[in-house]
Amino acid sequence: MTDIFNNFYAQIAQNKLSHWLESLPKQLNHWHSSNLHGEYKQWMKNIDLLPPVEPETLNLSTSVSVSTTQSLPPGFDKKTTHHLMQLKPWRKGPYHLHGIDVDTEWRSDFKWDRLAPHISDLTDRYVLDVGCGSGYHLWRMKGADAKFVVGIDPTQLFFAQFMAVQHFMQEPSVNLLPLGIDDLPPLKSFDTVFSMGVLYHRKSPMDFLQQLKAQLVKGGELILETLIIEGDENTVLVPDDRYAKMRNVWFIPSAKALEGWLNKVGFSNIRLVNIDQTTLDEQRKTDWIDTESLEDFLDPNDPNKTIEGYPAPLRAIFVANA
């Protein structure tokens, strides 16, 4: 087993997540020995070939940026861009790495700006982000003074992208594990749990909400961002096949229906703090993805509908307490 997670183990051995060590090393050993993507080794090779640069200035409060006043190695821009491009598609970001702008498909900073005014102060909190992608928001959580940040996402390319960013950031209190929510025991240890863009991918949304609650300390805060549709407390869209060309969309509830679900699994102080329709400024094609994006998922004659004729993506942010 690679020692890639040893630093994480050492950290949680000394904090309130120490009980996770009862199951986590075995899970990650199994992941590394049995479940690696066919391109994983090549992704890691590209990360190993990234030029070494000591971080001098991190900006995580208004962006995800690292810079230095020291001279960069010869050919740094070309070499670094080449190796990062081998990790496409880059979905969530953007990242600014010593003058290289990784212009990701999503402007994830837009989402952060929408939710940040509505959440509890993250200072000194233990934070979990479920379905974190390549980890853009993990860095923003750290920039908001969270004490310890953990992201989980089973997509191994996202893990590789996070490791590439971490190569330049070198911030040990920000971590990503290649796991899904089903892999987590009920830790009951996080002060804040984020889950953004995941609920509609789950076959059993009620079970998923219970799993999120099981990670929180009593009274801890959930920030849930997800697709919704307009309607009353009984309105739920179950797409016949695809939604906006996505195969794995199971349930899209109305805001009132989702509030009822949160209440049913035991959340309290439930607040709907934002509703926003996804725009072509927030999700678009760039040189860093080489795939389709939002403009391809919408009806070319009516941007308020998906290509299948469903309502166009409308996203809500809920905040609630365990």
Side-chain angles (χ1 to χ4, degrees), residues 20 27 128-131 152 154 179-195 198-218 220-224 261-262 264-267 322:
W20 201 357
Q27 284 179 303
L128 174 68
D129 188 358
V130 176
I152 61 168
L179 302 173
I181 189 67
D182 295 334
D183 300 312
L184 266 61
L187 293 169
K188 301 183 184 299
S189 298
F190 291 96
D191 304 297
T192 304
V193 169
F194 289 80
S195 180
V198 180
L199 179 71
Y200 46 89
H201 291 312
R202 303 293 297 179
K203 290 183 180 180
S204 179
M206 300 292 277
D207 287 344
F208 179 64
L209 294 175
Q210 288 180 317
Q211 289 172 315
L212 296 178
K213 187 170 182 285
Q215 307 311 320
L216 283 160
V217 299
K218 185 173 178 58
E221 187 167 270
L222 171 70
I223 295 91
L224 179 71
W261 295 357
L262 287 163
K264 190 174 182 66
V265 300
F267 284 98

Side-chain angles (χ1 to χ4, degrees), residues 52-107:
V53 181
E54 287 299 313
E56 189 172 310
T57 301
L58 295 183
N59 176 9
L60 304 179
S61 59
T62 61
S63 66
V64 179
S65 306
V66 60
S67 60
T68 181
T69 59
Q70 305 300 312
S71 297
L72 295 171
F76 173 85
D77 286 2
K78 183 176 181 180
K79 182 176 183 180
T80 301
T81 300
H82 169 77
H83 291 305
L84 293 176
M85 281 281 187
Q86 304 312 302
L87 304 179
K88 290 193 293 186
W90 286 81
R91 299 293 188 192
K92 305 296 176 67
Y95 301 101
H96 309 284
L97 309 173
H98 297 294
I100 295 172
D101 293 328
V102 182
D103 186 17
T104 51
E105 176 187 11
W106 283 86
R107 287 293 304 268

Side-chain angles (χ1 to χ4, degrees), residues 101-115:
D101 293 328
V102 182
D103 186 17
T104 51
E105 176 187 11
W106 283 86
R107 287 293 304 268
S108 302
D109 49 332
F110 290 10
K111 184 179 296 185
W112 184 258
D113 290 343
R114 289 195 295 269
L115 68 86

Side-chain angles (χ1 to χ4, degrees), residues 1 14 16 47 52 55 58 72 97 105 112 130 166 171 186 197 207 223 226 235 272 283 312:
M1 170 64 181
Q14 304 299 319
K16 65 177 182 176
I47 294 168
L58 295 183
L72 295 171
L97 309 173
E105 176 187 11
W112 184 258
V130 176
Q166 181 68 282
E171 175 48 66
D207 287 344
I223 295 91
T226 187
T235 304
L272 172 61
Q283 184 187 11

Side-chain angles (χ1 to χ4, degrees), residues 37-47 49 86-87:
H37 188 283
E39 296 183 62
Y40 178 83
K41 290 183 179 179
Q42 186 59 42
W43 296 333
M44 290 296 117
K45 182 178 179 181
N46 276 283
I47 294 168
L49 292 171
Q86 304 312 302
L87 304 179

